[in-house]
Amino acid sequence: MTDDSLWETPAVTILRSQPGFDLEGLDRNSTPGFTGKKADGERLLEERGAVLSGLQELLYANGRSGDSRSVLLVLQGMDTSGKGGMVRHVVGHVDPQGVDHASFGVPTDEEKQHHYLWRIKKQLPRGGYLGVFDRSHYEDVLVVRVHDLVPPNVWGARYDEINQFEKELVDAGTTIVKVAMFVSLDEQKKRLQERLDRPEKYWKYNPGDVTERKLWPAYQEAYQAMLDKTSTEHAPWYVVPCDRKWYSRIAVTELLIDAFESLDLSWPPADFDVEIEKARLAES
Amino acid sequence: MTDDSLWETPAVTILRSQPGFDLEGLDRNSTPGFTGKKADGERLLEERGAVLSGLQELLYANGRSGDSRSVLLVLQGMDTSGKGGMVRHVVGHVDPQGVDHASFGVPTDEEKQHHYLWRIKKQLPRGGYLGVFDRSHYEDVLVVRVHDLVPPNVWGARYDEINQFEKELVDAGTTIVKVAMFVSLDEQKKRLQERLDRPEKYWKYNPGDVTERKLWPAYQEAYQAMLDKTSTEHAPWYVVPCDRKWYSRIAVTELLIDAFESLDLSWPPADFDVEIEKARLAES
């Protein structure tokens, strides 16, 4: 839920992937549920970022007091969809000491020798932490599927396996917020162009990104299958149009706020006698 | 260096621990080198935090391009000196995806079975990252010394060992910013009192903190020895008075900016042919 009237429908409701959702029909330049403009969005990002920060501190406090619950933000999207900016501008609002951040790129040689969930399990958030996955185990049904890195029966079995894995995580106390970020082919081109036009952005450019653009339809198909098969009751996908960065950022901020609020946290009670401690302190 | 005239002497100069420094004479409520007031400090924190953020992105970009250098902020100080707030309000300015944060509390059973540097080495920052140590290997010449957890000849040998360890780190490309944070006994009492007066702060309170207060002189002696023996050319200590949180935060921001600037970084050149890529992109 959100307390701001510029959201006519809460992000958590309108962005949730529903059965039968057709990715092809998604307007990636749209701002679902939000009636405000960019300036409203930028203001809201600060306001709601502060709310998020307070909620994260509450979770951290509970974690320090033995609560093993956590929140895991999974960011999955094509190149230039804005995953890095999401970390910087949304996760950047909370205390870095409460964040467990992990990026999952091309697997290392060591990672390749293990089950694809091995590297994921090593990076799960600790109790009390906000985990952030920049890419995730879903790479193994996206890039792996598109590039035929394993046979279809192998990646085909992973959807159920992932659902089962996430169910165990949720049962163990992790609230998973899965965000599928969608940029349009045109907007992606603009963003790649910018990386080629500005020398301070060269480091973000990878020639492979252009190669991948030619596989766009296959990626869209793989994303559609991912949404169809792994948007579950326990860990639904949220489909976020990302051509407008300001929108995607306030949307994910709301999704996180909702996740934290669902934990119904309060400040942990003292595990000591307050009056006795006041007396001890006074004497010290 | 700093570009703001409110610093009459740069933090990196005035705070650097010098041979013969006497900790007892330190006014922990002072604001060395800074002529401004709290409001100036709070404004500067935002301005200079943005500068720090830009420098960190530059390091991160270079790291992505193969530069193995890193910056490591070591925060060492008594309870309530403001280490957590330093992470939140100073490190919080930079992109969380470029930060490797680690806290070192009472060693776990596993950690106790290893050399005291074992857990430290596991958490060193990756190339391109800003590492942050909330407490550090210096615990092993502070709390360990004060509580006689190992014989004097054992902790006594650690100063040289730490200097050697840090020398190797520096030689391998890590710029170490060691910050010794000093709060006064009175201010510590106020901060602990606040944790007992406000239920939302109970989780930060630990009865052991009052116990430690009785060991204050022994801790001061151990800190003095640490400064005397481990403030080296390659990894000097900076002594930061912390009774005024706003001062300590802008001071450490300046120390970090100086460390990043000393790397003399520029944006990494393209490792691809820009014109060819523009053509490829245009066709895609």
Side-chain angles (χ1 to χ4, degrees), chain B residues 76 101-107 111 116 118-124 132-137 139:
Chain B
Q76 196 66 51
H101 176 274
S103 292
F104 298 97
V106 177
E111 287 168 353
Y116 70 98
W118 178 77
R119 63 176 184 166
I120 304 295
K121 289 176 179 173
K122 286 205 305 178
Q123 303 264 25
L124 291 169
V132 180
F133 282 181
D134 182 340
R135 304 183 187 269
S136 67
H137 40 298
E139 291 292 295

Side-chain angles (χ1 to χ4, degrees), chain A residues 53 61 88 95 97 101 189 193 196-197 200 203 205 207 211 213 267 272 277-278 280-282 284, chain B residues 53 61 88 95 97 101 189 193 196-197 200 203 205 207 211 213 267 270 272 277-278 280-282 284:
Chain A
S53 176
R88 188 177 191 104
D95 189 343
Q97 88 183 292
H101 176 273
K189 193 172 203 167
Q193 186 69 47
L196 289 171
D197 289 339
E200 75 273 23
W203 67 279
Y205 183 85
T211 316
R213 278 172 66 76
W267 293 105
F272 47 83
E277 291 304 318
K278 283 182 178 172
R280 287 183 68 227
L281 178 62
S284 76
Chain B
S53 176
R88 188 179 191 104
D95 189 343
Q97 87 183 294
H101 176 274
K189 193 172 203 167
Q193 186 68 48
L196 290 170
D197 288 340
E200 75 273 24
W203 68 278
Y205 184 84
T211 315
R213 279 172 66 77
W267 293 106
F272 46 83
E277 291 304 318
K278 283 182 178 172
R280 286 183 70 227
L281 179 61
S284 74

Side-chain angles (χ1 to χ4, degrees), chain A residues 88, chain B residues 48-59 93-94 267:
Chain A
R88 188 177 191 104
Chain B
R48 299 293 284 168
V51 171
L52 177 62
S53 176
L55 288 164
Q56 177 273 330
E57 187 183 1
L58 198 49
L59 177 62
H93 276 101
V94 315
W267 293 106

Side-chain angles (χ1 to χ4, degrees), chain B residues 85-254:
Chain B
M86 197 66 79
V87 175
R88 188 179 191 104
H89 297 284
V90 175
V91 180
H93 276 101
V94 315
D95 189 343
Q97 87 183 294
V99 175
D100 275 336
H101 176 274
S103 292
F104 298 97
V106 177
T108 63
D109 286 342
E110 187 188 18
E111 287 168 353
K112 282 179 190 160
Q113 292 175 25
H114 291 273
H115 187 272
Y116 70 98
L117 291 175
W118 178 77
R119 63 176 184 166
I120 304 295
K121 289 176 179 173
K122 286 205 305 178
Q123 303 264 25
L124 291 169
R126 292 167 276 181
Y129 280 71
L130 168 61
V132 180
F133 282 181
D134 182 340
R135 304 183 187 269
S136 67
H137 40 298
Y138 287 99
E139 291 292 295
D140 291 281
V141 291
L142 292 167
V143 60
V144 165
R145 171 177 167 151
V146 169
H147 284 277
D148 294 319
L149 299 183
V150 299
N153 67 311
V154 175
W155 58 252
R158 289 179 178 170
Y159 299 101
D160 285 347
E161 190 171 42
I162 286 172
N163 288 341
Q164 182 57 33
F165 165 63
E166 291 180 352
K167 181 75 168 64
E168 287 163 16
L169 278 188
V170 170
D171 288 346
T174 299
T175 301
I176 309 178
V177 181
K178 300 193 297 194
V179 176
M181 299 172 65
F182 292 106
V183 68
S184 68
L185 195 58
D186 281 352
E187 178 66 19
Q188 186 188 60
K189 193 172 203 167
K190 281 183 203 157
R191 293 182 186 177
L192 289 173
Q193 186 68 48
E194 200 183 352
R195 294 178 183 181
L196 290 170
D197 288 340
R198 296 173 57 184
E200 75 273 24
K201 296 214 168 195
Y202 285 166
W203 68 278
K204 293 186 177 184
Y205 184 84
N206 177 353
D209 297 347
V210 170
T211 315
E212 295 299 282
R213 279 172 66 77
K214 294 174 185 156
L215 298 166
W216 191 268
Y219 270 107
Q220 301 314 300
E221 196 182 314
Y223 271 99
Q224 178 75 60
M226 176 190 86
L227 296 173
D228 291 344
K229 294 172 193 283
T230 64
S231 198
T232 56
E233 224 16 76
H234 57 271
W237 276 106
Y238 296 94
V239 174
V240 179
C242 288
D243 279 9
R244 302 186 199 224
K245 289 177 184 173
W246 64 265
Y247 172 77
S248 61
R249 290 170 189 169
I250 57 169
V252 172
T253 300
E254 293 303 327

Side-chain angles (χ1 to χ4, degrees), chain A residues 116-221:
Chain A
Y116 70 99
L117 291 175
W118 178 76
R119 64 176 183 165
I120 304 296
K121 289 176 179 173
K122 286 207 302 179
Q123 303 265 24
L124 291 169
R126 292 166 276 182
Y129 279 71
L130 168 60
V132 179
F133 282 1
D134 181 340
R135 304 182 187 268
S136 66
H137 40 296
Y138 286 100
E139 292 290 296
D140 291 282
V141 291
L142 292 168
V143 60
V144 165
R145 171 176 168 153
V146 168
H147 285 277
D148 294 320
L149 300 182
V150 299
N153 67 309
V154 175
W155 57 251
R158 289 178 178 171
Y159 299 101
D160 284 348
E161 191 171 39
I162 286 172
N163 288 341
Q164 181 58 33
F165 165 62
E166 291 180 351
K167 181 74 168 60
E168 287 163 16
L169 279 187
V170 170
D171 288 346
T174 299
T175 301
I176 310 177
V177 181
K178 299 194 298 196
V179 176
M181 299 171 66
F182 292 106
V183 68
S184 67
L185 194 57
D186 281 352
E187 178 66 20
Q188 187 187 58
K189 193 172 203 167
K190 282 184 203 157
R191 294 182 185 177
L192 289 174
Q193 186 69 47
E194 200 183 351
R195 293 178 184 182
L196 289 171
D197 289 339
R198 297 172 57 184
E200 75 273 23
K201 296 214 168 195
Y202 285 166
W203 67 279
K204 292 186 178 184
Y205 183 85
N206 178 353
D209 297 347
V210 170
T211 316
E212 295 298 281
R213 278 172 66 76
K214 293 174 185 158
L215 298 167
W216 191 267
Y219 270 107
Q220 299 314 301
E221 195 182 316

